[in-house]
Amino acid sequence: VLGVKRAERMLARVEFHYTPKHASWLNMAEIEIGVMDRQ
């Protein structure tokens, strides 16, 4: 179990980046793979 202080230090190092779904190349690749998988 993490202590509160250690959890706060870890969370302080995390950075969140907004990536719009319509512009994500990875999302496009996953859609293509899903289509090929169904064929």
Side-chain angles (χ1 to χ4, degrees):
V1 177
L2 286 177
V4 174
K5 296 280 186 187
R6 185 169 180 212
E8 287 174 348
R9 282 197 311 267
M10 291 173 72
L11 188 58
R13 294 182 352 193
V14 175
E15 287 186 36
F16 294 96
H17 297 278
Y18 171 71
T19 55
K21 285 187 177 183
H22 67 274
S24 171
W25 68 269
L26 183 57
N27 190 42
M28 295 299 286
E30 288 175 343
I31 290 170
E32 288 293 322
I33 290 169
V35 168
M36 291 189 306
D37 197 33
R38 281 184 232 116
Q39 290 179 350

